[in-house]
């Protein structure tokens, strides 16, 4: 759980037993959110799923909104760390960096494909701010990972082009998650990542499925 959780009034536990309890609560909250949606999301439902009392959850969170924020904070933290780890392990070259970036985004959203849409639909102002912070972080991570391979970009506006690429991939991923229930493209997240990689490499002046 990040420092932002503290800023939202929730203080992460220090003891191992308390951390395990928190993990249990957040896992239950994810399950309720995925199965019942944000409209039916209640502290009582989470407590029942977690096998805990309502009072035990209220001792940690002041209410439903803070619990929702904690779920979103955890998922966005996983997105940030997943992208960073994928970029560090990416094959050398621009194609490897772009492919790792799109797949890391797709992998995270695929694992939580029933939760992200609910959080995107129901986010409050504080949730939007946390989301924007995460998007800025993964964009920066991508640009810095791609920078050593800028000479492979067959454009003169390389800095602008790589920034535009990052925002386009991220925007497409978020939009797909938010609208997939109503406007499905019929693709798996794996195929989406493959096609998005091909499109963005073409935009940078790179072609072919060499990645």
């Amino acid at each position: 759980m990040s420092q932002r959780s503290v800023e939202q009034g929730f203080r992460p536990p220090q003891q191992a037993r308390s951390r395990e309890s928190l993990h249990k609560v957040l896992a239950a909250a994810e399950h309720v959110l995925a199965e019942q949606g944000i409209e039916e999301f209640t502290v009582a439902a989470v407590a029942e799923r977690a096998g805990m009392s309502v009072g035990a959850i209220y001792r940690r969170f002041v209410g439903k909104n803070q619990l929702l924020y904690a779920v979103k904070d955890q998922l966005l933290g996983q997105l940030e760390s997943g992208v960073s780890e994928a970029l560090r392990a990416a094959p050398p070259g621009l194609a490897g960096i772009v492919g790792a970036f799109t797949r890391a985004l797709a992998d995270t959203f695929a694992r939580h494909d029933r939760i992200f849409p609910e959080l995107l639909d129901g986010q409050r102002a504080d949730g939007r701010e946390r989301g924007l912070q995460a998007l800025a972080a993964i964009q920066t991570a991508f640009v810095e990972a791609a920078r050593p391979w800028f000479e492979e970009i067959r454009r003169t506006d390389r800095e602008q082009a790589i920034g535009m690429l990052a925002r386009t991939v991220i925007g497409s991923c978020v939009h797909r998650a938010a609208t997939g229930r109503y406007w499905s493209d019929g693709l798996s997240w794996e195929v989406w990542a493959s096609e998005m990689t091909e499109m963005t490499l073409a935009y940078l002046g790179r072609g072919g499925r060499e990645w």
Side-chain angles (χ1 to χ4, degrees):
M1 195 67 58
S2 71
Q3 177 65 25
R4 300 182 188 91
S5 298
V6 177
E7 295 167 357
Q8 291 301 315
F10 167 68
R11 294 190 176 277
Q14 301 302 313
Q15 297 182 349
R17 185 174 180 181
S18 294
R19 288 195 298 269
E20 291 174 6
S21 177
L22 174 61
H23 176 76
K24 186 177 181 180
V25 171
L26 294 182
E30 285 190 34
H31 180 87
V32 171
L33 193 59
E35 293 298 319
Q36 301 181 30
I38 200 164
E39 295 300 325
E40 302 298 324
F41 184 89
T42 65
V43 172
V46 173
E48 181 178 1
R49 176 67 188 180
M52 303 170 64
S53 69
V54 172
I57 295 180
Y58 273 116
R59 283 194 290 272
R60 192 181 299 276
F61 299 97
V62 298
K64 179 179 78 171
N65 287 331
Q66 194 179 70
L67 179 54
L68 278 170
Y69 185 92
V71 173
K72 182 169 187 174
D73 185 55
Q74 176 173 267
L75 294 182
L76 291 173
Q78 291 174 8
L79 177 63
E80 291 168 338
S81 61
V83 167
S84 295
E85 291 169 8
L87 290 173
R88 285 195 295 270
L94 188 62
I97 294 296
V98 173
F101 182 61
T102 57
R103 286 193 296 273
L105 286 171
D107 287 348
T108 301
F109 276 80
R111 288 197 303 273
H112 306 288
D113 63 342
R114 300 184 66 180
I115 299 174
F116 271 115
E118 295 292 342
L119 293 175
L120 291 169
D121 283 348
Q123 61 188 348
R124 290 149 34 102
D126 51 5
R128 285 194 296 272
E129 179 63 25
R130 174 66 181 98
L132 291 173
Q133 290 170 344
L135 298 183
I138 61 177
Q139 177 178 339
T140 298
F142 171 73
V143 172
E144 292 308 308
R147 194 175 300 281
W149 313 101
F150 270 20
E151 70 276 4
E152 296 185 22
I153 301 175
R154 297 170 189 169
R155 298 174 60 105
T156 57
D157 55 342
R158 292 173 175 173
E159 188 82 31
Q160 178 178 310
I162 205 70
M164 178 64 74
L165 184 155
R167 294 178 71 89
T168 298
V169 173
I170 295 168
S172 174
C173 186
V174 172
H175 181 268
R176 186 171 191 266
T179 63
R181 290 175 296 177
Y182 315 107
W183 189 35
S184 174
D185 56 18
L187 304 177
S188 67
W189 276 104
E190 181 179 2
V191 173
W192 173 86
S194 177
E195 293 300 320
M196 182 58 66
T197 299
E198 185 75 0
M199 288 171 59
T200 53
L201 287 175
Y203 166 75
L204 294 176
R206 296 288 307 274
R209 293 184 177 272
E210 60 197 75
W211 45 271

